[in-house]
Amino acid sequence: METVVEVEVNAESKPEVSKTSSAEKSLKLIADPVVYQLVRVEGDGRLVPATDEEVFEVEDLLDDGKCTRILADTGRDVECILNKKISSGILQSENLEACSDKSGEVLDLETNSMKSNTQIQERVPSLVPSTTDSHLSGSGECSNSQVGATGSESLKSSACNISKPDFSKLKGEICLNNLSVRELHEIFRALFGRVTTNKDKQWLKRRISMGLTNSCDVSTTTFVIEDHKVVKKGKEENSRIAEVKHSKNPFKGAMDKICKGSSSVAKKEVENQLNCSGKRTRNANVVYDHDRKDVLTESRADKRVRKPTKRYIEEVSVEESRETSGKVTSKVTESGHCQSSPQPSVQPIQNIRSDGRPFVMRQDSLGGSGIQIPYVSRVRRGRPRENYMTFMKLQPSEVGTPSRVVKKAFEMCDSRPDSEEGNNIVKAGSSPEWVQQPLISKSEKAEENSERFTEFAKDDLQLQHTDPSSYCSDDGIATVPTATGGMRRKHHRIWTLNEVVKLVEGVARYGVGRWSEIKRVFFASHSHRTSVDLKDKWRNLLRASFAQLPADKGVDNSRKNASVPIPAPILARVRELAEVEGQFPPNISGVKFAGHSVRDVHERRSGYL
DNA sequence: ATTAGGG
DNA sequence: CCCTAAT
């Protein structure tokens, strides 16, 4: 069964837009953002471009007056057409930033929908999630009846991005956390029948999770799927059973409610659901706004959920220790109940919008000609270092192009104040002291380590003035992006042993996290090394120090190829400090073997200490 | 601006 | 090292 429905496409792809001036353009985009085009909907839900005959056919249909309000309200349009002519079909509608904020109201929609939904609801096979919003967000304002006005050429581009959902691909246990982006993409496609280009894992997981559970509750990332149904959600006792395939049908979701609107029970249900899934209770306007926001900020929509910082945890835990623990659990269950409503027919609005479109838009605007957005590289961000500034005064012409010469020059300037930064590394690596550093029992470890550590530090200080000349002789490889191969190496500056020592000392004195303090005191002469750098370095040190522990081998000797082996005493000190600070080795038991060697190698290769 | 954490 | 979110 083939049908014809309308599809909106963004006007950005229309030539007339590009002809206008930029000012007009923006105006135009606002005023005339949506164009409808015709596509044929195959029985299986696929969209194919409509032929000219079909376009005319629909136009005739419209001219007949059988369906008068084609573009005034997306939701109604579909229903209208469907009612007259179509036995099955889907509407792929994408009203991007356009359709102003004036939307029809739910009640309006309800009455209009009542007429025709009966025939449709059982037949529409689609899983395409973006349909529902067109129902709920019918906009009476963005009407420009251009049915068939734009050729079917541009249509193809939009249609070819829609693929058939194949839920049968999803089987067995799915643990979203363990999946790669690519795998997530596949699931996404299987689930929504669309290809997404979003690489944000979190976002993908969330979408998929929402799609699978049919709820906003995305706390779970492991699912067991059997026979097209999610039968189990991981790590939750009350595994909710969500019927996926049918309940996901947006038509059914919206229509059911509307259709049965006469039943007071059903009405109530709808209200509850609306209330539950977000402050949109009264009219579609709210829904639309919410939804639109979701579109525009889509990729950023799900901001990375950061786990609380150590300090935060400490503070909170201190507070919470005095409180009753019951409170927390009750809170959780309460909110959890609301978020994941048990009604399987609810299609959360947030879920409706998806990311297929922005991608298409971008493609269209670029004409698919492979034009790349110019990449602006920042060789250095933020305030230039002081020494660099002084150098700039002398060589103003070089400002825009931080060539190697420039870089080298300011690094020489730079090296003067901290002449101790010589490559004492070399000597450090050969010093017998660390090589024979024994592993000592914990009881005497602290004292011993401290002693050795300071000893080392002294040694390091002595080395400071030995050879100041060979400073970072060939560093400054801040290569810029190449048009073909991307970036080479960024401005890396290897950490000298001395710097490491300073850092460790700083941590010892000020504690972990006081990076700015440490920087101020211990790295005053080092114009580079931001507090962030210190933090990063400490993290690496920490890792290194604990990574070495279980290995129990000949400490630093084993890595000869390593750029700068960190002497055992330092690592021991790091470990010691870490324990004092309550820092624990990452993955203490998790990845023991593979993780250790692999990561360690990788670290070395990266050039970080 | 600082800090934390992920990449 | 880079980036970003959060404070």
Side-chain angles (χ1 to χ4, degrees):
Chain A
M1 180 63 64
E2 294 179 356
T3 60
V4 177
V5 296
E6 293 172 14
V7 170
E8 299 175 18
V9 297
N10 193 291
E12 215 171 85
S13 57
K14 299 204 317 176
E16 54 196 87
V17 173
S18 57
K19 272 188 291 187
T20 58
S21 73
S22 60
E24 284 172 353
K25 188 172 179 178
S26 54
L27 254 176
K28 180 112 183 170
L29 284 176
I30 293 169
D32 183 17
V34 178
V35 177
Y36 289 75
Q37 292 188 322
L38 288 173
V39 293
R40 181 212 318 281
V41 181
E42 301 282 0
D44 57 6
R46 236 168 353 121
L47 295 186
V48 299
T51 64
D52 286 343
E53 291 93 351
E54 286 165 330
V55 172
F56 290 134
E57 207 172 347
V58 173
E59 280 178 340
D60 288 340
L61 184 68
L62 303 183
D63 288 339
D64 283 346
K66 292 170 191 164
C67 190
T68 52
R69 302 183 58 189
I70 277 308
L71 292 166
D73 180 310
T74 5
R76 284 177 228 140
D77 304 341
V78 192
E79 289 147 19
C80 191
I81 297 179
L82 289 175
N83 200 16
K84 300 290 178 192
K85 198 175 156 71
I86 291 172
S87 58
S88 80
I90 62 172
L91 171 77
Q92 170 74 17
S93 101
E94 296 289 346
N95 39 0
L96 288 182
E97 43 225 283
C99 286
S100 67
D101 287 335
K102 300 117 195 166
S103 312
E105 294 181 356
V106 166
L107 279 181
D108 189 16
L109 169 64
E110 199 169 297
T111 52
N112 278 281
S113 307
M114 290 279 279
K115 302 171 193 166
S116 56
N117 53 41
T118 330
Q119 307 102 295
I120 307 168
Q121 64 181 19
E122 290 304 322
R123 299 187 191 166
V124 176
S126 161
L127 295 183
V128 174
S130 55
T131 313
T132 307
D133 71 317
S134 66
H135 281 270
L136 296 178
S137 65
S139 160
E141 290 294 311
C142 67
S143 55
N144 42 19
S145 314
Q146 303 192 23
V147 182
T150 49
S152 54
E153 303 93 313
S154 54
L155 177 64
K156 288 168 188 163
S157 66
S158 65
C160 67
N161 275 296
I162 302 160
S163 56
K164 180 184 167 188
D166 188 2
F167 195 77
S168 63
K169 284 175 185 166
L170 304 181
K171 261 181 206 163
E173 183 172 328
I174 294 180
C175 184
L176 298 180
N177 283 330
N178 297 340
L179 295 179
S180 67
V181 171
R182 207 177 134 230
E183 289 166 318
L184 289 172
H185 277 171
E186 283 172 16
I187 293 186
F188 186 96
R189 185 174 162 188
L191 193 54
F192 299 112
R194 275 182 301 106
V195 177
T196 179
T197 54
N198 195 320
K199 296 185 183 63
D200 187 337
K201 255 190 180 178
Q202 205 63 36
W203 184 90
L204 288 167
K205 285 193 289 187
R206 213 178 105 126
R207 288 284 155 169
I208 292 169
S209 182
M210 288 199 300
L212 286 173
T213 63
N214 197 31
S215 83
C216 309
D217 178 19
V218 292
S219 61
T220 312
T221 54
T222 302
F223 307 90
V224 176
I225 298 174
E226 278 176 16
D227 194 25
H228 296 191
K229 290 181 185 178
V230 178
V231 297
K232 199 173 159 193
K233 291 168 68 178
K235 68 176 182 182
E236 265 184 331
E237 311 107 295
N238 54 342
S239 59
R240 300 182 194 87
I241 297 179
E243 183 181 343
V244 176
K245 186 154 189 174
H246 294 295
S247 64
K248 272 209 62 59
N249 183 339
F251 271 87
K252 192 170 181 184
M255 296 288 206
D256 268 355
K257 288 176 280 183
I258 295 163
C259 178
K260 297 167 189 164
S262 54
S263 150
S264 61
V265 177
K267 234 177 200 168
K268 205 170 173 184
E269 191 181 281
V270 172
E271 281 172 13
N272 282 341
Q273 288 161 0
L274 287 177
N275 278 329
C276 205
S277 47
K279 345 101 209 207
R280 42 189 187 310
T281 45
R282 273 200 306 276
N283 58 39
N285 203 355
V286 184
V287 176
Y288 184 76
D289 274 344
H290 190 275
D291 195 30
R292 181 167 136 227
K293 191 174 156 199
D294 191 37
V295 178
L296 296 178
T297 62
E298 208 161 29
S299 54
R300 301 180 291 138
D302 314 293
K303 296 186 175 172
R304 201 162 67 205
V305 276
R306 229 184 56 181
K307 68 180 177 186
T309 65
K310 195 184 91 183
R311 278 181 196 168
Y312 177 80
I313 291 176
E314 285 170 359
E315 286 166 13
V316 170
S317 63
V318 168
E319 281 183 21
E320 274 188 355
S321 61
R322 301 189 207 116
E323 294 184 19
T324 60
S325 57
K327 247 185 195 171
V328 181
T329 51
S330 71
K331 262 188 224 159
V332 168
T333 51
E334 206 174 7
S335 67
H337 170 68
C338 182
Q339 271 194 338
S340 58
S341 65
Q343 287 87 355
S345 62
V346 183
Q347 176 71 24
I349 301 299
Q350 295 93 322
N351 198 8
I352 292 162
R353 269 301 173 195
S354 42
D355 61 338
R357 206 54 182 190
F359 169 69
V360 177
M361 288 310 145
R362 253 172 250 130
Q363 245 195 355
D364 280 352
S365 64
L366 292 178
S369 55
I371 297 173
Q372 295 186 353
I373 296 171
Y375 172 71
V376 179
S377 78
R378 295 158 299 163
V379 173
R380 171 164 199 88
R381 1 162 232 205
R383 191 184 56 199
R385 29 186 103 147
E386 308 85 54
N387 293 320
Y388 187 72
M389 287 297 266
T390 58
F391 175 77
M392 298 280 268
K393 285 174 190 163
L394 302 176
Q395 305 268 336
S397 61
E398 297 277 22
V399 171
T401 60
S403 65
R404 189 190 182 103
V405 182
V406 175
K407 174 114 191 201
K408 205 164 176 179
F410 78 66
E411 275 182 356
M412 279 163 63
C413 285
D414 209 5
S415 68
R416 191 171 16 222
D418 48 1
S419 58
E420 74 269 12
E421 235 192 314
N423 56 353
N424 39 29
I425 310 144
V426 178
K427 185 160 185 199
S430 61
S431 169
E433 249 186 75
W434 323 317
V435 179
Q436 295 161 3
Q437 171 70 20
L439 286 166
I440 37 193
S441 70
K442 188 161 181 174
S443 55
E444 47 185 293
K445 191 168 74 178
E447 192 185 339
E448 175 101 29
N449 280 342
S450 299
E451 191 180 321
R452 285 195 170 272
F453 178 78
T454 48
E455 194 176 343
F456 166 78
K458 239 192 314 182
D459 190 10
D460 185 65
L461 286 178
Q462 286 172 358
L463 286 170
Q464 279 177 16
H465 306 283
T466 2
D467 48 0
S469 58
S470 61
Y471 164 76
C472 279
S473 56
D474 208 357
D475 190 60
I477 312 174
T479 43
V480 273
T482 60
T484 55
M487 297 254 239
R488 280 301 133 76
R489 269 174 62 178
K490 301 167 186 178
H491 26 253
H492 279 196
R493 200 131 158 188
I494 54 169
W495 276 73
T496 66
L497 212 50
N498 180 45
E499 283 176 311
V500 172
V501 170
K502 281 182 173 179
L503 173 59
V504 176
E505 252 177 76
V507 172
R509 187 167 313 178
Y510 293 98
V512 175
R514 305 290 229 263
W515 305 120
S516 59
E517 281 292 311
I518 296 172
K519 176 185 161 40
R520 222 191 321 280
V521 176
F522 290 87
F523 290 81
S525 54
H526 299 59
S527 44
H528 55 293
R529 304 305 183 209
T530 68
S531 54
V532 177
D533 292 327
L534 303 190
K535 183 257 310 175
D536 285 336
K537 184 58 188 177
W538 177 257
R539 181 167 51 176
N540 288 338
L541 283 176
L542 208 61
R543 210 181 280 153
S545 68
F546 279 106
Q548 228 174 48
L549 201 51
D552 193 56
K553 51 179 92 168
V555 247
D556 46 25
N557 267 7
S558 54
R559 339 239 183 246
K560 287 210 170 89
N561 52 348
S563 52
V564 181
I566 301 179
I570 295 184
L571 291 182
R573 187 82 205 282
V574 170
R575 221 176 301 131
E576 175 189 329
L577 287 170
E579 283 173 13
V580 171
E581 299 286 335
Q583 289 189 325
F584 298 105
N587 293 335
I588 184 154
S589 63
V591 206
K592 242 179 187 173
F593 276 94
H596 171 272
S597 57
V598 169
R599 170 150 63 199
D600 208 19
V601 166
H602 179 264
E603 288 291 319
R604 303 286 171 186
R605 200 165 46 105
S606 309
Y608 313 144
L609 271 184

